[in-house]
Amino acid sequence: MGMKDRLEQMKQRAQEAGKMVVDVGVDAAREKRDAAVGLAKSKVDATTGYVVEKRDGAVNFASEAKTAFKEGDLEELLKRLPLPASPVQQDWQWSLGKLITSGNKPPMGTGMLLGLLDNFGTIDIGPEEVGFDGSTAKWHKVKAVRTRSLDGIIQKLSTDSFTESIENLLPPVPGRGWVSEKATSAIFTIWAMVADLAIRDPEAGRRQVVCEIEYKGWIRTKEAETGFFTGPVMALLPNLDQVFRDEAARRGVLVEQAEQTTIENAEARVAWLREKHAAISAKREEARKQIEY
């Protein structure tokens, strides 16, 4: 074989080797692309499934809410409320405004008034922030999460100051009466539920519930604390309370008990609870009559 033939043979082998490298690279790229497409599709399917599940849950809850409101069964409504999954991956919020509009179509022009209720009764938790009643904090700024007993929550419920708070919160514009009456009736019903629970189950009365979040502000430490609506709702939704605890634990945030007074004598406690329950029930009936009127 002459020199010219040898050079031609070497050139041909080099071309074949180069083609092989290119083919291997193309195959690898194709496999990588197919894997990426498959992963993306699985993520889309998972996300779509989550969105569909979340949407269906919301639709079902809205339908059940109408029935619950019609029958006056807020206890059943709360049992069916779609709660956030743990660990929390999506922002979740529930509020007094959402409660009173779940089973009722709000009158025209009440959107602003319902929005004002968010500063009065809102529970927020998500992967980035957490808070109560319009005060939210970034998780990395949260220093501590504190709890109160159900009895401690009930101690803070005042029928007189609540009524005044609602009146001061809502400006005198069209729709104010509807929003005020619906909010008042819903909250007094929830209060009666927690008081009744504490009477029926002494152990439930001593159960600790997440009610306060301490976090770093620009200048000083701040607190997001449950109020007239959010405290009782947290007490009535132990699974939601557990989500708050789990999320705090995942982030290394201390969960501790807040200072509070307790009623040690069982008879005195029951008498106090019955008195509280009676006052709440009377206010609730008064609010219902105003709505019916």
Side-chain angles (χ1 to χ4, degrees), residues 67-105:
T67 303
F69 264 97
K70 186 176 180 180
E71 298 175 353
D73 191 356
L74 286 186
E75 184 174 3
E76 186 64 25
L77 177 65
L78 290 176
K79 287 180 181 178
R80 297 178 182 275
L81 177 66
L83 300 179
S86 182
V88 179
Q89 298 178 340
Q90 300 284 332
D91 290 336
W92 185 91
Q93 182 191 82
W94 203 55
S95 65
L96 177 58
K98 288 182 179 179
L99 171 62
I100 65 177
T101 57
S102 293
N104 300 276
K105 184 177 181 180

Coordinates of all heavy atoms in Angstrom, one line a residue, residues 67-105:
T67 N -74.8 25.6 51.9 CA -75.7 24.8 52.7 C -75.5 25.0 54.2 O -76.5 25.1 54.9 CB -75.5 23.3 52.4 OG1 -75.7 23.1 51.0 CG2 -76.4 22.4 53.2
A68 N -74.3 25.1 54.6 CA -73.9 25.3 56.0 C -74.5 26.6 56.5 O -75.1 26.7 57.6 CB -72.4 25.2 56.2
F69 N -74.4 27.7 55.7 CA -74.9 29.0 56.1 C -76.4 28.9 56.2 O -77.0 29.5 57.1 CB -74.4 30.1 55.2 CG -73.2 30.8 55.6 CD1 -72.0 30.4 55.2 CD2 -73.3 31.8 56.6 CE1 -70.8 31.1 55.6 CE2 -72.2 32.5 57.0 CZ -70.9 32.1 56.5
K70 N -77.0 28.3 55.3 CA -78.5 28.2 55.2 C -79.0 27.4 56.5 O -80.0 27.8 57.0 CB -78.9 27.4 54.0 CG -80.4 27.4 53.8 CD -80.7 26.7 52.4 CE -82.3 26.7 52.2 NZ -82.6 26.1 50.9
E71 N -78.2 26.4 56.9 CA -78.7 25.6 58.0 C -78.0 26.2 59.3 O -78.4 25.7 60.4 CB -78.2 24.2 57.8 CG -78.9 23.5 56.6 CD -78.4 22.1 56.4 OE1 -77.4 21.7 57.1 OE2 -78.9 21.4 55.5
G72 N -77.2 27.2 59.2 CA -76.6 27.7 60.4 C -75.6 26.8 61.1 O -75.4 26.9 62.3
D73 N -75.0 25.9 60.3 CA -74.0 25.0 60.9 C -72.6 25.3 60.5 O -72.0 24.8 59.6 CB -74.4 23.6 60.3 CG -73.6 22.5 61.1 OD1 -72.8 22.8 61.9 OD2 -73.9 21.3 60.8
L74 N -72.0 26.3 61.2 CA -70.6 26.7 61.0 C -69.7 25.6 61.4 O -68.5 25.6 60.9 CB -70.4 28.0 61.7 CG -71.0 29.3 61.1 CD1 -70.5 30.5 61.8 CD2 -70.7 29.4 59.6
E75 N -70.0 24.8 62.4 CA -69.1 23.8 62.8 C -68.8 22.8 61.7 O -67.7 22.4 61.5 CB -69.8 23.0 64.0 CG -68.9 21.9 64.6 CD -69.4 21.3 65.8 OE1 -70.6 21.6 66.2 OE2 -68.7 20.5 66.4
E76 N -69.9 22.4 60.9 CA -69.7 21.5 59.8 C -68.9 22.2 58.7 O -68.0 21.6 58.0 CB -71.0 21.1 59.3 CG -70.9 20.0 58.2 CD -70.4 18.7 58.7 OE1 -70.4 18.4 59.9 OE2 -69.8 18.0 57.8
L77 N -69.1 23.5 58.5 CA -68.4 24.3 57.5 C -66.9 24.3 57.8 O -66.0 24.1 57.0 CB -68.9 25.7 57.5 CG -68.2 26.7 56.6 CD1 -68.4 26.3 55.1 CD2 -68.7 28.1 56.8
L78 N -66.5 24.5 59.1 CA -65.1 24.5 59.5 C -64.4 23.2 59.3 O -63.3 23.1 58.9 CB -65.0 25.0 60.9 CG -65.3 26.5 61.2 CD1 -65.2 26.8 62.7 CD2 -64.4 27.4 60.4
K79 N -65.2 22.1 59.5 CA -64.6 20.8 59.3 C -64.3 20.5 57.9 O -63.3 19.8 57.6 CB -65.7 19.7 59.8 CG -65.8 19.6 61.3 CD -66.9 18.6 61.6 CE -67.1 18.5 63.1 NZ -68.1 17.4 63.5
R80 N -65.0 21.2 57.0 CA -64.7 20.9 55.5 C -63.8 22.0 54.9 O -63.6 21.9 53.7 CB -66.1 20.9 54.8 CG -67.0 19.8 55.3 CD -68.4 19.8 54.5 NE -69.2 18.8 55.0 CZ -69.2 17.5 54.5 NH1 -68.4 17.2 53.6 NH2 -70.1 16.6 55.0
L81 N -63.3 22.9 55.7 CA -62.5 24.0 55.1 C -61.2 23.3 54.6 O -60.5 22.7 55.4 CB -62.2 25.0 56.2 CG -61.2 26.1 55.8 CD1 -61.8 27.0 54.7 CD2 -60.8 27.0 57.0
P82 N -60.8 23.5 53.4 CA -59.5 23.0 52.8 C -58.3 23.7 53.5 O -58.2 24.9 53.4 CB -59.6 23.3 51.3 CG -61.0 23.6 51.0 CD -61.6 24.2 52.3
L83 N -57.5 22.9 54.2 CA -56.4 23.5 55.0 C -55.1 23.3 54.2 O -55.0 22.4 53.3 CB -56.3 22.8 56.3 CG -57.5 22.9 57.3 CD1 -57.2 22.2 58.6 CD2 -57.8 24.4 57.6
P84 N -54.1 24.1 54.5 CA -52.8 23.9 53.8 C -52.1 22.6 54.1 O -52.3 22.1 55.2 CB -52.0 25.1 54.3 CG -52.5 25.4 55.6 CD -54.0 25.1 55.5
A85 N -51.4 22.1 53.1 CA -50.6 20.8 53.4 C -49.4 21.2 54.1 O -48.9 22.3 54.2 CB -50.3 20.2 52.0
S86 N -48.8 20.2 54.8 CA -47.6 20.3 55.6 C -46.5 19.4 55.0 O -46.8 18.2 54.9 CB -47.8 20.0 57.0 OG -46.6 20.2 57.8
P87 N -45.4 19.9 54.6 CA -44.9 21.3 54.7 C -45.7 22.2 53.7 O -46.1 21.8 52.7 CB -43.4 21.2 54.3 CG -43.3 20.0 53.5 CD -44.3 19.0 54.0
V88 N -45.8 23.5 54.1 CA -46.5 24.5 53.4 C -45.8 24.9 52.1 O -44.6 25.3 52.2 CB -46.8 25.7 54.2 CG1 -47.6 26.8 53.4 CG2 -47.6 25.3 55.5
Q89 N -46.4 24.7 51.0 CA -45.7 25.0 49.7 C -46.5 26.1 48.9 O -45.9 26.6 47.9 CB -45.7 23.7 48.8 CG -44.9 22.6 49.4 CD -44.8 21.4 48.6 OE1 -45.7 21.2 47.7 NE2 -43.9 20.5 48.8
Q90 N -47.7 26.4 49.3 CA -48.5 27.5 48.7 C -49.0 28.4 49.7 O -49.2 28.1 50.8 CB -49.6 26.9 47.9 CG -49.3 25.9 46.8 CD -48.7 26.6 45.6 OE1 -49.1 27.7 45.3 NE2 -47.9 25.9 44.8
D91 N -49.1 29.7 49.3 CA -49.7 30.7 50.2 C -51.1 30.3 50.5 O -51.9 29.9 49.6 CB -49.7 32.1 49.6 CG -48.3 32.7 49.5 OD1 -47.4 32.2 50.3 OD2 -48.0 33.5 48.7
W92 N -51.5 30.4 51.8 CA -52.9 30.0 52.2 C -53.4 31.1 53.1 O -52.7 31.6 54.0 CB -52.8 28.7 53.0 CG -54.2 28.2 53.4 CD1 -55.0 27.3 52.7 CD2 -54.9 28.5 54.7 NE1 -56.2 27.1 53.4 CE2 -56.1 27.7 54.6 CE3 -54.6 29.3 55.8 CZ2 -57.1 27.8 55.6 CZ3 -55.6 29.3 56.8 CH2 -56.8 28.6 56.7
Q93 N -54.6 31.5 52.9 CA -55.2 32.6 53.7 C -56.7 32.3 53.8 O -57.4 31.8 52.9 CB -55.1 33.9 53.0 CG -55.7 35.1 53.8 CD -55.7 36.4 53.0 OE1 -56.7 36.6 52.3 NE2 -54.7 37.3 53.2
W94 N -57.2 32.5 55.0 CA -58.6 32.5 55.3 C -59.0 33.6 56.2 O -58.2 34.0 57.1 CB -59.0 31.2 56.0 CG -60.5 30.9 55.7 CD1 -61.1 30.8 54.5 CD2 -61.5 30.6 56.7 NE1 -62.4 30.5 54.7 CE2 -62.7 30.4 56.0 CE3 -61.5 30.5 58.1 CZ2 -63.9 30.1 56.7 CZ3 -62.6 30.2 58.8 CH2 -63.8 30.0 58.1
S95 N -60.2 34.2 56.0 CA -60.5 35.4 56.7 C -62.0 35.5 57.0 O -62.8 34.7 56.5 CB -60.1 36.6 55.8 OG -60.9 36.7 54.6
L96 N -62.3 36.5 57.8 CA -63.7 36.7 58.2 C -64.5 37.1 56.9 O -65.6 36.7 56.7 CB -63.8 37.8 59.2 CG -65.2 38.3 59.6 CD1 -66.0 37.1 60.2 CD2 -65.1 39.4 60.7
G97 N -63.9 37.9 56.1 CA -64.5 38.3 54.8 C -64.9 37.1 54.0 O -66.0 37.0 53.4
K98 N -63.9 36.1 53.9 CA -64.2 34.9 53.1 C -65.3 34.0 53.7 O -66.1 33.4 53.0 CB -62.9 34.1 52.9 CG -61.9 34.8 52.0 CD -60.6 33.9 51.8 CE -59.6 34.6 50.9 NZ -58.4 33.8 50.7
L99 N -65.3 34.0 55.0 CA -66.3 33.3 55.7 C -67.7 33.8 55.4 O -68.6 33.0 55.0 CB -66.1 33.3 57.2 CG -67.2 32.7 58.1 CD1 -67.4 31.2 57.8 CD2 -66.9 32.9 59.6
I100 N -67.9 35.1 55.6 CA -69.3 35.6 55.4 C -69.7 35.7 54.0 O -70.9 35.9 53.7 CB -69.5 37.0 56.1 CG1 -68.6 38.0 55.4 CG2 -69.1 36.9 57.6 CD1 -68.8 39.4 56.0
T101 N -68.8 35.6 53.0 CA -69.2 35.6 51.6 C -69.2 34.2 51.0 O -69.5 34.0 49.8 CB -68.2 36.5 50.8 OG1 -66.9 36.0 50.9 CG2 -68.4 37.9 51.2
S102 N -68.8 33.1 51.8 CA -68.8 31.8 51.3 C -70.1 31.3 50.9 O -70.3 30.6 49.9 CB -68.2 30.8 52.3 OG -66.8 31.1 52.6
G103 N -71.1 31.6 51.7 CA -72.5 31.2 51.4 C -73.4 32.3 51.0 O -74.6 32.1 50.8
N104 N -72.9 33.5 50.8 CA -73.7 34.6 50.4 C -73.1 35.5 49.3 O -71.9 35.7 49.3 CB -73.9 35.6 51.6 CG -74.6 34.9 52.8 OD1 -75.8 34.8 52.9 ND2 -73.8 34.4 53.7
K105 N -73.9 35.9 48.4 CA -73.4 36.8 47.4 C -73.4 38.2 47.9 O -74.5 38.7 48.3 CB -74.2 36.7 46.1 CG -73.7 37.6 45.0 CD -74.5 37.4 43.7 CE -73.9 38.3 42.6 NZ -74.7 38.2 41.3

